[in-house]
Amino acid sequence: MHIIESLQWRYATKKFDATKKLTSEQIEVLKNAFSLTATSFGLQPIKLVVIENKEIRESLVEHSFNQRQVADASHLLVICIQDDFTTEDIEKYFSLVKDVRQTPDEILNPFKDYLVDTFSSKTKEDMHTSFKNQAYIALGNLLNVCAVEKIDSCPMEGFNPEKYDEVLDLKSHNLKSALILPVGHRAEDDFMKDLKKVRKPLDKSIIEIK
Ligand SMILES: Cc1cc2nc3c(=O)[nH]c(=O)nc-3n(C[C@H](O)[C@H](O)[C@H](O)COP(=O)(O)O)c2cc1C
């Protein structure tokens, strides 16, 4: 299917069919797509929590402005950002580059020193803002991959991150929840599923400079 047809097919699913599950192959595709998301300097300061457990998802509904998609979808994806980010994370990244590409230290070290220096002048708040921006890139990537793979999804900011962090014990993983994405299959009676897309005409959302 042409990519634009896939993007037309995708919509923010309001009601999932709670009886339908995604296959483990489909979940693997989403996990790999998340991993292949571009991140600043390749540092991957984001992590994906994949929740299938229905009981946990039911307990999260009240912390999601009672939006049932969280429990009725097949799985709930929680895109998290790293809380503390230190020089050790930069060191680990470069040792991974070295392992994967066998790049010599003489080439890696100047870049590593530059990154250590750059990050040392950032506040925790600066880092969180940057990491959250990267979480949105992962969300966009996952939304498009879902569309191509015919997986229904609903991008969501409508939840209480502090409560999610508590319920999922994210602090113990040095994480904070940033965005959520329930994935699964649309319900036959989702009133949104046959509605036309509402978008400004292209000439109102795009400026072309030739
Ligand atoms: C960052 C972001 C946060 C959103 N949060 C919610 C949400 O909490 N609940 C919801 O039902 N839809 C949410 N949406 C879905 C939007 O309302 C939806 O994408 C928009 O109306 C366009 O419709 P479409 O995606 O079906 O084309 C969110 C979308 C984005 C991109």
Side-chain angles (χ1 to χ4, degrees):
M1 195 195 275
H2 191 276
I3 184 73
I4 298 301
E5 284 175 54
S6 297
L7 296 180
Q8 288 281 0
W9 176 87
R10 184 207 66 78
Y11 75 107
T13 304
K14 297 293 171 216
K15 190 175 179 192
F16 284 88
D17 183 336
T19 66
K20 290 190 183 156
K21 299 295 290 180
L22 294 178
T23 63
S24 50
E25 288 78 16
Q26 286 174 309
I27 294 297
E28 282 309 303
V29 168
L30 296 181
K31 282 156 54 175
N32 279 288
F34 175 80
S35 167
L36 289 167
T37 296
T39 57
S40 179
F41 299 113
L43 290 169
Q44 293 183 270
I46 53 176
K47 210 169 238 187
L48 188 67
V49 179
V50 181
I51 313 174
E52 184 172 10
N53 186 293
K54 180 87 171 164
E55 220 174 290
I56 295 174
R57 290 188 290 122
E58 281 292 350
S59 76
L60 290 170
V61 172
E62 64 170 310
H63 306 309
S64 316
F65 300 99
N66 291 318
Q67 299 187 87
R68 288 283 322 160
Q69 295 104 309
V70 165
D72 292 340
S74 167
H75 292 67
L76 177 65
L77 309 185
V78 183
I79 304 174
C80 301
I81 60 165
Q82 201 168 319
D83 187 8
D84 288 320
F85 188 89
T86 65
T87 303
E88 203 187 320
D89 293 294
I90 298 173
E91 298 279 353
K92 277 189 194 154
Y93 168 69
F94 281 94
S95 101
L96 184 60
V97 176
K98 203 174 161 185
D99 283 354
V100 174
R101 294 184 175 157
Q102 281 82 49
T103 314
D105 283 338
E106 319 67 282
I107 293 183
L108 291 179
N109 283 346
F111 185 38
K112 179 164 83 180
D113 295 343
Y114 163 76
L115 281 191
V116 169
D117 191 45
T118 304
F119 275 80
S120 68
S121 64
K122 286 184 197 288
T123 64
K124 194 167 177 176
E125 202 184 17
D126 288 340
M127 287 196 222
H128 284 183
T129 303
S130 160
F131 297 169
K132 211 165 169 189
N133 290 340
Q134 296 174 62
Y136 279 90
I137 295 176
L139 178 75
N141 187 27
L142 285 170
L143 279 174
N144 291 342
V145 170
C146 280
V148 169
E149 294 293 316
K150 282 272 183 310
I151 295 169
D152 284 302
S153 66
C154 185
M156 289 169 72
E157 280 177 322
F159 71 105
N160 182 333
E162 286 78 25
K163 289 288 180 192
Y164 266 60
D165 296 358
E166 228 174 271
V167 172
L168 302 173
D169 189 24
L170 295 179
K171 202 175 168 56
S172 73
H173 296 276
N174 189 30
L175 294 173
K176 281 171 142 353
S177 54
L179 291 161
I180 56 173
L181 184 70
V183 289
H185 297 280
R186 61 189 69 177
E188 270 308 310
D189 61 346
D190 183 358
F191 75 101
M192 293 293 279
K193 91 176 177 12
D194 298 316
L195 295 184
K196 280 191 170 169
K197 281 235 174 273
V198 179
R199 292 296 189 270
K200 293 177 185 175
L202 289 190
D203 65 352
K204 293 280 182 290
S205 61
I206 294 165
I207 296 174
E208 283 191 277
I209 301 175
K210 289 185 175 161

